[in-house]
């Protein structure tokens, strides 16, 4: 009976259907969990799992848990196949093995630790089937950022782009070669003999991708995420990518091959590949190479680098420009010096995690403590050992070390405990809730037993003679405060630069003199003289005057420093440096966030202090008000764009109080210099909104505002506010005719707050070019510029253009794109016009690249000049 049943099954069995898509997955030592996640994403495809052919290719795995799970899937599902390489071949040849066994109409690839979104296969299949193309490219979600990858770096701003051949839009060659976002017509691969290069451990997908794009007849790029890319990174590279000379040699081979391919297939697009010089340089700087290895690298790729430097279309990276230039010149020696400098820099800015506190620490207790060293600590594990070791190494031994851990979430507390076990002078206080540096320093002051106290941040360090020298000078002169200079360790052009803090330039004339607040020009208080570190304080002076840090999170040092200086009877200053301060890359970004609004509270406190002492106010109110307006003005231009509106509203409230509640308008106006008076007038007009402005604005900047997101709006405003040309002297005109109501409301919100921002909505349905052609009807300023919201001005652009056009009394002046020698004679965004001339003699038109260009009246080209003034940022 069983035999007849089997025969019946064979007779009734239908011919095997050709799968819609073959999905090829190379496997090497993949964990069981990763295989399960990848496979589950295939099971859940909306196109139907049964319509897929799943091809796993095992590349001689030495760990079998993942492969064992694949075998279970193979036994359970008839459309799951498993093939084994006879020897280790790496991803490229492993995918070739999968291609040989594929039978689907289309082919996709998936890495064994990534996973498709549920509609990935159906989405790509529907497009390639309907559009009759050879390849469709999607986007991906990067787990490192948890965001869809930004394609705007390649000027891809449309959701969907279709081309017949790649020479129609070479910029698309810059899209990531990541294979798992793509679907290919299998017959196209077979007919063109398209396979992965053999013998490459890395980057075979880059060559394969370029060969595909150069051969394809029908290509679509669609900005829709297809796959979740599990990128675990260090230094911007995948952790699976080790930085070895062997891998570097393969990278050289890959780029040499790709460059020859570009020169053969599409030489005018070589700049797109050449831009990868920045990636290669970053890779090299993260790889440990000896002299001969580095020399070989320079010799192998110096021509590629030379082409990058000489090509006007490449994106120049200022961070690496020195080493790139040396490599391009085949100057191995200087290139190697730059390489070594960079490697040494990493040693300064990265404490060895294996470093332990030394065992030769002084272990004696003292009854009469001379100095209390107060160290607030929050998540400082990276540099904490070096900080503490610098305190242990002090030639002065009679001290206590008070470390306050502000509820760190890293290993800081354990490091502190480890040090305290071998140094009896050290006391560790742990706070269970994070309160900020002000509160932790106040706790240190409370428990300080030393005759003097000093503050050290947990990522900085002291010279070994710092405390010994400072206490001797303080005792000899009966000082309340002793100031010593700082050395800043800061990154500039990827190189460590140490320099004395310029703050003390203001005080050189007072060096080695005994200073009292009655014999010094107190205007030094308004010259960034703020840090609480780098000073030795008499503890009784601090405690008897009840001086503490304000509990606000930022700008706490400013007020503390001013109060201590005003109350101190004896102060001495040295320009000698004993304090070493690290300035991190993130420091600048951190000081741009909404905590900058705290500086307004600090200014209020300072103003109250000065107004309470009449002689002090009368002597220094002019200097203070300029200091105040400098901070308000420069903060608006410096703060991150998303916080501009919040900060300006807070500024309005503060100035409103000064004028209304405190009646200080007259004093402020009489005190201010030209730029500060302009900004003060601007703020007043934003508050009282007079019918006629007291500010004469010379330039309007026109921005096409259709469907602008709020983020894009404040980025444009911020870019213009950062100009060296004063922001109140610029009118920002956002113009459109068909935006969504929500986008319109976003712009109107800014125009209601900032008096120089205007929103114009036309009644007729104009396109962008037509809007620009009618713009003179809406402009009241004598000059006008135009800005594409996706581009950004160089900070000096407007000032330099305005100066030139007025100096020579020109009708129109044209500049260039930054770091480019090309003068764009017709490109709209690089020009400044006289408004009258614009109305009568200029017409705008759109070119094939969707860029707005300028056409002049042939009868009136007088007063037109092309310059090399940088206008638009290149990156």
């Amino acid at each position: 009976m069983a035999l007849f049943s089997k025969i019946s099954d064979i007779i009734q069995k239908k011919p095997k259907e050709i799968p819609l898509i073959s999905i090829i997955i190379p496997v090497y030592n993949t964990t069981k969990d990763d295989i399960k996640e990848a496979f589950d994403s295939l099971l859940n495809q909306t196109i139907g799992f049964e319509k897929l052919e799943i091809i796993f290719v095992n590349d001689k795995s030495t760990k079998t848990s993942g492969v064992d799970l694949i075998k279970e899937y193979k036994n359970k599902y008839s459309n799951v196949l498993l093939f084994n390489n006879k020897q280790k071949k790496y991803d490229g040849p492993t995918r070739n093995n999968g291609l040989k066994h594929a039978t689907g109409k289309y082919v996709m690839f998936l890495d064994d630790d990534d996973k498709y979104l549920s509609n990935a296969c159906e989405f790509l299949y529907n497009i390639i089937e309907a559009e009759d193309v050879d390849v469709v490219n999607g986007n991906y979600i990067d787990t490192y950022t948890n965001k869809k990858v930004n394609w705007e770096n390649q000027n891809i701003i449309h959701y969907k782009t279709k081309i017949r051949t790649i020479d129609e839009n070479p910029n698309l060659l810059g899209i990531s070669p990541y294979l798992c976002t793509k679907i290919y017509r299998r017959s196209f691969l077979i007919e063109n003999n398209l396979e992965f290069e053999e013998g490459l451990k890395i980057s075979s997908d880059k060559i394969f991708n370029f060969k595909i794009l150069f051969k394809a007849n029908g290509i679509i790029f669609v900005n829709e995420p297809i796959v979740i890319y599990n990128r675990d990174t260090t230094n911007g590279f995948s952790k699976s990518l080790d930085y070895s000379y062997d891998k570097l040699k393969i990278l050289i081979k890959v780029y040499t091959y790709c460059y020859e391919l570009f020169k053969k297939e599409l030489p005018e697009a070589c700049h797109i590949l050449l831009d990868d010089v920045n990636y290669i340089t970053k890779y090299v700087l993260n790889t440990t190479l000896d002299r001969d290895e580095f020399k070989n690298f320079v010799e192998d790729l110096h021509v590629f680098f030379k082409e990058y430097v000489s090509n006007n279309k490449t994106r120049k990276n200022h961070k690496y420009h020195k080493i790139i230039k040396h490599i391009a010149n085949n100057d191995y020696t200087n290139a190697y010096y730059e390489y070594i400098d960079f490697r040494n820099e990493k040693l300064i800015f990265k404490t060895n995690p294996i470093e332990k506190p030394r065992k030769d620490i002084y272990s004696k207790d003292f009854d009469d403590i001379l100095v209390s060293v107060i160290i607030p600590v929050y998540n400082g594990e990276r540099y904490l050992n070096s900080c503490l070791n610098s305190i242990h190494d002090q030639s002065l031994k009679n001290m206590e070390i008070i470390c306050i851990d502000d509820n760190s979430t890293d290993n800081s507390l354990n490091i502190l405990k480890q040090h305290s076990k071998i140094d009896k002078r050290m006391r560790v206080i742990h706070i269970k809730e994070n309160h900020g540096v002000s509160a932790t320093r106040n706790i240190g002051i409370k428990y300080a037993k030393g005759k003097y106290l000093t503050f050290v941040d947990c990522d900085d360090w002291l010279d070994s003679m710092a405390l010994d020298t400072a206490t001797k000078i303080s005792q000899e002169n009966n000082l309340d405060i002793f100031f010593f200079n700082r050395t800043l360790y800061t990154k500039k052009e990827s190189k460590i630069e140490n320099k004395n803090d310029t703050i003390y330039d203001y005080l050189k004339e007072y060096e080695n003199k005994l200073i009292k607040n009655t014999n010094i020009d107190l205007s030094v208080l308004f010259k960034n003289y703020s840090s609480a570190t780098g000073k030795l304080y008499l503890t009784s002076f601090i405690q008897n005057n009840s001086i503490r840090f304000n509990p606000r999170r930022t700008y706490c040092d400013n007020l503390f420093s001013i109060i201590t200086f005003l109350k101190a009877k004896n102060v001495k200053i040295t320009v000698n440096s004993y304090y070493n301060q690290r300035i991190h890359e993130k420091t600048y970004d951190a000081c741009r966030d909404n905590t900058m609004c705290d500086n307004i509270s600090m200014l209020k406190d300072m103003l109250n202090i000065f107004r309470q002492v009449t002689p002090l106010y009368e002597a220094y109110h002019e200097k203070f008000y300029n200091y105040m307006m400098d901070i308000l003005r420069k903060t608006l231009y410096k703060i991150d764009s998303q916080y501009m509106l919040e900060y300006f509203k807070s500024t309005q409230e503060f100035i409103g109080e000064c004028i209304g509640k405190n009646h200080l308008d007259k004093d402020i106006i009489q005190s201010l210099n030209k730029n500060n008076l302009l900004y003060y007038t601007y703020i007043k007009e934003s508050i009282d909104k007079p019918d006629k402005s007291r500010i004469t604005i010379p330039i309007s900047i026109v921005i096409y505002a259709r469907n602008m997101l709020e983020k894009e709006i404040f980025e444009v405003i911020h870019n213009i506010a950062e100009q060296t040309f004063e922001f109140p002297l610029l009118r920002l005109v956002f113009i459109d005719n068909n935006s969504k109501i929500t986008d319109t409301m976003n712009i109107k919100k800014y125009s209601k707050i900032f008096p120089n921002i205007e929103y114009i909505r036309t009644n007729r349905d104009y396109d962008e070019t037509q809007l620009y052609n009618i713009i003179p009807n809406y402009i009241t300023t004598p000059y006008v510029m135009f800005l594409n919201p996706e581009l950004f001005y160089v900070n000096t652009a407007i000032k330099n253009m305005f100066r030139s056009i007025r100096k020579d009394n020109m009708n129109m002046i044209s500049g260039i794109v930054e770091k480019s020698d090309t003068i764009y004679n017709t490109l709209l965004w690089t020009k400044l016009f006289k408004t009258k001339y614009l109305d009568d003699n200029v017409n705008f038109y759109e070119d094939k690249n969707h860029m707005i260009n300028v056409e002049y009246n042939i009868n009136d080209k007088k007063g037109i000049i092309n310059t090399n003034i940088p206008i638009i940022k290149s990156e």
Side-chain angles (χ1 to χ4, degrees), residues 30 40 198 219 312 410 596 689 806 808:
T30 316
D40 285 348
E198 299 282 337
I219 307 167
N312 289 331
D410 64 359
M596 291 186 82
K689 296 180 171 50
R806 294 189 68 191
D808 299 321

Side-chain angles (χ1 to χ4, degrees), residues 70 99 254 274 414 555 581 597 604 610 754 813 821:
I70 293 170
L99 283 170
V254 167
L274 291 170
N414 289 332
Y555 297 95
Q581 180 179 353
C597 293
K604 287 181 181 179
F610 277 91
F754 294 94
I813 186 169
D821 296 328

